Amino acid sequence: MPSPLQQTDDEARKEAQQLMQSARYAALSVLDEKNYPFVSRIAFGLTQRNTPISLVSTLSHHTQHMLQNSQVSLLIGEPKPRGDPLTYPRLTLQGTAHFLQRNDPDFIDKRTEWLETHPKSRLYIDFTDFQFVQFSIFRAYLNGGFGKAYKLSAKDLKIY
């Protein structure tokens, strides 16, 4: 059976990068204590180095699962109000989660960056159970709509 993946080109790279830059939420998939998939919706953003990041509570199930097993998958791309949701582009990111402790020198910079794009987080960002998690992405899959499937690398996404 032939692969449904197209040759990755600049148009696919640009669309994937735009999806990442515009996303404010993502579906996060982690593995639970019995290695079953567990999916949750999280806030999503990018650092200045284009690294995916989120602000999570250590009280949440998904954070507890990431602390036990750092393998993650993220799905970004929201359907429009009209039309078939499966025809709109979406991007699956695969990688590992790395937590940034509150005493880390980068925490204040990340806090400032985060609040620029997620101002409502100001209500809880300073609660002691919240911390940043950065995602090291090693591959991604773009579904740009019917017949538009691509496999991308971190380099294609300009993640540093």
Side-chain angles (χ1 to χ4, degrees):
M1 177 178 227
S3 172
L5 296 174
Q6 303 295 310
Q7 183 70 33
T8 300
D9 57 18
D10 287 342
E11 185 178 323
R13 289 180 190 95
K14 182 178 178 183
E15 184 166 22
Q17 291 164 14
Q18 287 175 336
L19 280 169
M20 287 178 48
Q21 291 164 0
S22 65
R24 293 296 171 260
Y25 301 95
L28 168 70
S29 178
V30 296
L31 296 172
D32 72 10
E33 65 280 353
K34 294 189 178 190
N35 281 329
Y36 283 98
F38 180 93
V39 179
S40 186
R41 183 172 304 275
I42 61 168
F44 179 88
L46 296 173
T47 67
Q48 288 183 347
R49 295 181 53 84
N50 217 35
T51 302
I53 190 169
S54 187
L55 178 67
V56 295
S57 169
T58 56
L59 302 175
S60 68
H61 288 294
H62 55 263
T63 300
Q64 291 300 312
H65 295 319
M66 282 189 289
L67 288 167
Q68 296 299 314
N69 183 335
S70 65
Q71 294 175 311
V72 299
S73 183
L74 297 151
L75 176 66
I76 57 174
E78 296 294 323
K80 306 290 184 242
R82 304 185 107 184
D84 183 348
L86 299 180
T87 62
Y88 292 102
R90 58 237 183 238
L91 181 67
T92 299
L93 304 170
Q94 293 180 299
T96 54
H98 305 278
F99 288 87
L100 184 66
Q101 302 303 317
R102 290 178 114 30
N103 61 357
D104 188 299
D106 289 338
F107 187 88
I108 297 299
D109 291 338
K110 298 290 185 271
R111 182 186 184 284
T112 302
E113 288 176 33
W114 184 261
L115 289 173
E116 288 174 10
T117 55
H118 298 80
K120 291 185 179 183
S121 296
R122 189 172 307 280
L123 298 171
Y124 50 84
I125 196 168
D126 294 321
F127 291 177
T128 58
D129 62 298
F130 278 86
Q131 63 187 92
F132 288 108
V133 58
Q134 294 185 147
F135 301 101
S136 296
I137 303 303
F138 67 90
R139 82 173 151 223
Y141 293 92
L142 171 66
N143 184 328
F146 185 75
K148 295 180 179 180
Y150 305 90
K151 182 178 178 180
L152 299 106
S153 67
K155 182 177 178 183
D156 289 321
L157 299 172
K158 296 186 178 179
I159 296 174
Y160 306 104

